[in-house]
PDB file of all heavy atoms in Angstrom:
ATOM      1  N   ASP A 447       9.601   6.852   2.257  1.00  0.00           N
ATOM      2  CA  ASP A 447      10.742   7.748   2.389  1.00  0.00           C
ATOM      3  C   ASP A 447      10.820   8.393   3.766  1.00  0.00           C
ATOM      4  O   ASP A 447      11.866   8.874   4.180  1.00  0.00           O
ATOM      5  CB  ASP A 447      10.690   8.851   1.329  1.00  0.00           C
ATOM      6  CG  ASP A 447      10.861   8.285  -0.064  1.00  0.00           C
ATOM      7  OD1 ASP A 447      11.216   7.100  -0.154  1.00  0.00           O
ATOM      8  OD2 ASP A 447      10.657   9.013  -1.031  1.00  0.00           O
ATOM      9  N   HIS A 448       9.703   8.437   4.454  1.00  0.00           N
ATOM     10  CA  HIS A 448       9.712   9.039   5.778  1.00  0.00           C
ATOM     11  C   HIS A 448      10.399   8.132   6.795  1.00  0.00           C
ATOM     12  O   HIS A 448      10.765   8.571   7.873  1.00  0.00           O
ATOM     13  CB  HIS A 448       8.284   9.355   6.236  1.00  0.00           C
ATOM     14  CG  HIS A 448       7.601  10.347   5.349  1.00  0.00           C
ATOM     15  ND1 HIS A 448       7.872  11.685   5.389  1.00  0.00           N
ATOM     16  CD2 HIS A 448       6.687  10.176   4.368  1.00  0.00           C
ATOM     17  CE1 HIS A 448       7.147  12.307   4.495  1.00  0.00           C
ATOM     18  NE2 HIS A 448       6.417  11.419   3.856  1.00  0.00           N
ATOM     19  N   PHE A 449      10.552   6.866   6.454  1.00  0.00           N
ATOM     20  CA  PHE A 449      11.131   5.911   7.398  1.00  0.00           C
ATOM     21  C   PHE A 449      12.521   5.445   7.010  1.00  0.00           C
ATOM     22  O   PHE A 449      13.345   5.181   7.860  1.00  0.00           O
ATOM     23  CB  PHE A 449      10.217   4.691   7.534  1.00  0.00           C
ATOM     24  CG  PHE A 449       8.836   5.055   7.991  1.00  0.00           C
ATOM     25  CD1 PHE A 449       7.790   5.076   7.091  1.00  0.00           C
ATOM     26  CD2 PHE A 449       8.600   5.402   9.305  1.00  0.00           C
ATOM     27  CE1 PHE A 449       6.517   5.434   7.507  1.00  0.00           C
ATOM     28  CE2 PHE A 449       7.347   5.763   9.727  1.00  0.00           C
ATOM     29  CZ  PHE A 449       6.305   5.778   8.835  1.00  0.00           C
ATOM     30  N   VAL A 450      12.763   5.307   5.744  1.00  0.00           N
ATOM     31  CA  VAL A 450      14.081   4.844   5.319  1.00  0.00           C
ATOM     32  C   VAL A 450      14.675   5.819   4.319  1.00  0.00           C
ATOM     33  O   VAL A 450      13.958   6.497   3.595  1.00  0.00           O
ATOM     34  CB  VAL A 450      14.014   3.450   4.641  1.00  0.00           C
ATOM     35  CG1 VAL A 450      14.058   2.363   5.679  1.00  0.00           C
ATOM     36  CG2 VAL A 450      12.824   3.326   3.745  1.00  0.00           C
ATOM     37  N   GLU A 451      15.996   5.840   4.315  1.00  0.00           N
ATOM     38  CA  GLU A 451      16.678   6.688   3.349  1.00  0.00           C
ATOM     39  C   GLU A 451      16.501   6.104   1.956  1.00  0.00           C
ATOM     40  O   GLU A 451      16.711   4.925   1.726  1.00  0.00           O
ATOM     41  CB  GLU A 451      18.173   6.745   3.676  1.00  0.00           C
ATOM     42  CG  GLU A 451      18.522   7.739   4.764  1.00  0.00           C
ATOM     43  CD  GLU A 451      18.183   9.173   4.372  1.00  0.00           C
ATOM     44  OE1 GLU A 451      18.532   9.564   3.239  1.00  0.00           O
ATOM     45  OE2 GLU A 451      17.560   9.875   5.177  1.00  0.00           O
ATOM     46  N   THR A 452      16.055   6.919   1.048  1.00  0.00           N
ATOM     47  CA  THR A 452      15.923   6.477  -0.324  1.00  0.00           C
ATOM     48  C   THR A 452      16.824   7.365  -1.168  1.00  0.00           C
ATOM     49  O   THR A 452      16.836   8.574  -0.984  1.00  0.00           O
ATOM     50  CB  THR A 452      14.474   6.632  -0.822  1.00  0.00           C
ATOM     51  OG1 THR A 452      13.609   6.175   0.202  1.00  0.00           O
ATOM     52  CG2 THR A 452      14.230   5.851  -2.076  1.00  0.00           C
ATOM     53  N   THR A 453      17.577   6.729  -2.041  1.00  0.00           N
ATOM     54  CA  THR A 453      18.423   7.546  -2.898  1.00  0.00           C
ATOM     55  C   THR A 453      17.538   8.270  -3.905  1.00  0.00           C
ATOM     56  O   THR A 453      16.477   7.782  -4.274  1.00  0.00           O
ATOM     57  CB  THR A 453      19.443   6.667  -3.639  1.00  0.00           C
ATOM     58  OG1 THR A 453      18.755   5.552  -4.175  1.00  0.00           O
ATOM     59  CG2 THR A 453      20.529   6.181  -2.710  1.00  0.00           C
ATOM     60  N   SER A 454      18.002   9.415  -4.329  1.00  0.00           N
ATOM     61  CA  SER A 454      17.191  10.257  -5.208  1.00  0.00           C
ATOM     62  C   SER A 454      16.828   9.520  -6.505  1.00  0.00           C
ATOM     63  O   SER A 454      15.791   9.755  -7.103  1.00  0.00           O
ATOM     64  CB  SER A 454      17.941  11.532  -5.543  1.00  0.00           C
ATOM     65  OG  SER A 454      19.173  11.211  -6.144  1.00  0.00           O
ATOM     66  N   ARG A 455      17.701   8.582  -6.886  1.00  0.00           N
ATOM     67  CA  ARG A 455      17.492   7.807  -8.110  1.00  0.00           C
ATOM     68  C   ARG A 455      16.149   7.078  -8.094  1.00  0.00           C
ATOM     69  O   ARG A 455      15.517   6.890  -9.122  1.00  0.00           O
ATOM     70  CB  ARG A 455      18.630   6.793  -8.220  1.00  0.00           C
ATOM     71  CG  ARG A 455      18.766   6.076  -9.527  1.00  0.00           C
ATOM     72  CD  ARG A 455      20.073   5.333  -9.503  1.00  0.00           C
ATOM     73  NE  ARG A 455      19.984   4.192  -8.602  1.00  0.00           N
ATOM     74  CZ  ARG A 455      19.799   2.949  -9.026  1.00  0.00           C
ATOM     75  NH1 ARG A 455      19.692   2.708 -10.291  1.00  0.00           N
ATOM     76  NH2 ARG A 455      19.746   1.955  -8.173  1.00  0.00           N
ATOM     77  N   ASN A 456      15.751   6.648  -6.900  1.00  0.00           N
ATOM     78  CA  ASN A 456      14.560   5.822  -6.804  1.00  0.00           C
ATOM     79  C   ASN A 456      13.301   6.588  -6.416  1.00  0.00           C
ATOM     80  O   ASN A 456      12.262   5.994  -6.215  1.00  0.00           O
ATOM     81  CB  ASN A 456      14.781   4.703  -5.788  1.00  0.00           C
ATOM     82  CG  ASN A 456      15.706   3.648  -6.330  1.00  0.00           C
ATOM     83  OD1 ASN A 456      15.866   3.559  -7.545  1.00  0.00           O
ATOM     84  ND2 ASN A 456      16.312   2.883  -5.466  1.00  0.00           N
ATOM     85  N   ARG A 457      13.425   7.880  -6.313  1.00  0.00           N
ATOM     86  CA  ARG A 457      12.247   8.665  -5.946  1.00  0.00           C
ATOM     87  C   ARG A 457      11.246   8.687  -7.089  1.00  0.00           C
ATOM     88  O   ARG A 457      11.608   8.591  -8.249  1.00  0.00           O
ATOM     89  CB  ARG A 457      12.669  10.109  -5.661  1.00  0.00           C
ATOM     90  CG  ARG A 457      13.427  10.254  -4.371  1.00  0.00           C
ATOM     91  CD  ARG A 457      12.522  10.810  -3.287  1.00  0.00           C
ATOM     92  NE  ARG A 457      13.175  10.721  -2.001  1.00  0.00           N
ATOM     93  CZ  ARG A 457      14.036  11.622  -1.556  1.00  0.00           C
ATOM     94  NH1 ARG A 457      14.325  12.677  -2.276  1.00  0.00           N
ATOM     95  NH2 ARG A 457      14.608  11.474  -0.390  1.00  0.00           N
ATOM     96  N   LEU A 458      10.005   8.854  -6.711  1.00  0.00           N
ATOM     97  CA  LEU A 458       8.988   9.034  -7.732  1.00  0.00           C
ATOM     98  C   LEU A 458       9.165  10.423  -8.320  1.00  0.00           C
ATOM     99  O   LEU A 458       9.522  11.347  -7.624  1.00  0.00           O
ATOM    100  CB  LEU A 458       7.597   8.929  -7.108  1.00  0.00           C
ATOM    101  CG  LEU A 458       7.267   7.639  -6.396  1.00  0.00           C
ATOM    102  CD1 LEU A 458       5.904   7.735  -5.766  1.00  0.00           C
ATOM    103  CD2 LEU A 458       7.313   6.504  -7.372  1.00  0.00           C
ATOM    104  N   GLU A 459       8.885  10.528  -9.587  1.00  0.00           N
ATOM    105  CA  GLU A 459       9.047  11.833 -10.209  1.00  0.00           C
ATOM    106  C   GLU A 459       7.716  12.356 -10.718  1.00  0.00           C
ATOM    107  O   GLU A 459       7.126  11.782 -11.624  1.00  0.00           O
ATOM    108  CB  GLU A 459      10.031  11.739 -11.381  1.00  0.00           C
ATOM    109  CG  GLU A 459      11.423  11.321 -10.969  1.00  0.00           C
ATOM    110  CD  GLU A 459      12.389  12.476 -10.885  1.00  0.00           C
ATOM    111  OE1 GLU A 459      11.938  13.637 -10.842  1.00  0.00           O
ATOM    112  OE2 GLU A 459      13.596  12.199 -10.871  1.00  0.00           O
ATOM    113  N   GLY A 460       7.269  13.428 -10.136  1.00  0.00           N
ATOM    114  CA  GLY A 460       6.094  14.105 -10.663  1.00  0.00           C
ATOM    115  C   GLY A 460       6.550  15.181 -11.632  1.00  0.00           C
ATOM    116  O   GLY A 460       7.688  15.168 -12.083  1.00  0.00           O
ATOM    117  N   VAL A 461       5.670  16.083 -11.936  1.00  0.00           N
ATOM    118  CA  VAL A 461       6.060  17.124 -12.875  1.00  0.00           C
ATOM    119  C   VAL A 461       5.423  18.434 -12.435  1.00  0.00           C
ATOM    120  O   VAL A 461       4.386  18.438 -11.764  1.00  0.00           O
ATOM    121  CB  VAL A 461       5.649  16.736 -14.321  1.00  0.00           C
ATOM    122  CG1 VAL A 461       4.158  16.750 -14.507  1.00  0.00           C
ATOM    123  CG2 VAL A 461       6.332  17.613 -15.344  1.00  0.00           C
ATOM    124  N   GLU A 462       6.092  19.520 -12.745  1.00  0.00           N
ATOM    125  CA  GLU A 462       5.481  20.823 -12.447  1.00  0.00           C
ATOM    126  C   GLU A 462       5.881  21.834 -13.510  1.00  0.00           C
ATOM    127  O   GLU A 462       6.892  21.674 -14.188  1.00  0.00           O
ATOM    128  CB  GLU A 462       5.888  21.315 -11.053  1.00  0.00           C
ATOM    129  CG  GLU A 462       7.331  21.708 -10.960  1.00  0.00           C
ATOM    130  CD  GLU A 462       7.687  22.270  -9.593  1.00  0.00           C
ATOM    131  OE1 GLU A 462       6.831  22.239  -8.703  1.00  0.00           O
ATOM    132  OE2 GLU A 462       8.825  22.732  -9.434  1.00  0.00           O
ATOM    133  N   ILE A 463       5.066  22.857 -13.621  1.00  0.00           N
ATOM    134  CA  ILE A 463       5.401  23.940 -14.530  1.00  0.00           C
ATOM    135  C   ILE A 463       6.218  24.943 -13.741  1.00  0.00           C
ATOM    136  O   ILE A 463       5.745  25.530 -12.778  1.00  0.00           O
ATOM    137  CB  ILE A 463       4.127  24.567 -15.132  1.00  0.00           C
ATOM    138  CG1 ILE A 463       3.512  23.589 -16.121  1.00  0.00           C
ATOM    139  CG2 ILE A 463       4.449  25.893 -15.794  1.00  0.00           C
ATOM    140  CD1 ILE A 463       2.274  24.063 -16.793  1.00  0.00           C
ATOM    141  N   ARG A 464       7.498  25.049 -14.106  1.00  0.00           N
ATOM    142  CA  ARG A 464       8.402  25.892 -13.336  1.00  0.00           C
ATOM    143  C   ARG A 464       8.228  27.356 -13.734  1.00  0.00           C
ATOM    144  O   ARG A 464       8.369  28.264 -12.944  1.00  0.00           O
ATOM    145  CB  ARG A 464       9.839  25.406 -13.593  1.00  0.00           C
ATOM    146  CG  ARG A 464      10.933  26.042 -12.804  1.00  0.00           C
ATOM    147  CD  ARG A 464      10.840  25.801 -11.298  1.00  0.00           C
ATOM    148  NE  ARG A 464      10.813  24.419 -10.857  1.00  0.00           N
ATOM    149  CZ  ARG A 464      11.897  23.645 -10.721  1.00  0.00           C
ATOM    150  NH1 ARG A 464      13.076  24.089 -11.040  1.00  0.00           N
ATOM    151  NH2 ARG A 464      11.770  22.417 -10.279  1.00  0.00           N
ATOM    152  N   GLN A 465       7.891  27.579 -14.988  1.00  0.00           N
ATOM    153  CA  GLN A 465       7.926  28.939 -15.501  1.00  0.00           C
ATOM    154  C   GLN A 465       7.037  29.060 -16.730  1.00  0.00           C
ATOM    155  O   GLN A 465       6.869  28.100 -17.472  1.00  0.00           O
ATOM    156  CB  GLN A 465       9.372  29.224 -15.919  1.00  0.00           C
ATOM    157  CG  GLN A 465       9.801  30.651 -15.775  1.00  0.00           C
ATOM    158  CD  GLN A 465      11.184  30.860 -16.335  1.00  0.00           C
ATOM    159  OE1 GLN A 465      11.976  29.924 -16.413  1.00  0.00           O
ATOM    160  NE2 GLN A 465      11.470  32.063 -16.749  1.00  0.00           N
TER     161      GLN A 465
END
Side-chain angles (χ1 to χ4, degrees):
Chain A
D447 294 349
H448 298 284
F449 302 104
V450 275
E451 278 297 313
T452 316
T453 47
S454 58
R455 192 170 72 101
N456 287 340
R457 288 258 170 84
L458 302 176
E459 298 259 16
V461 69
E462 70 177 6
I463 289 180
R464 186 64 57 81
Q465 211 186 336

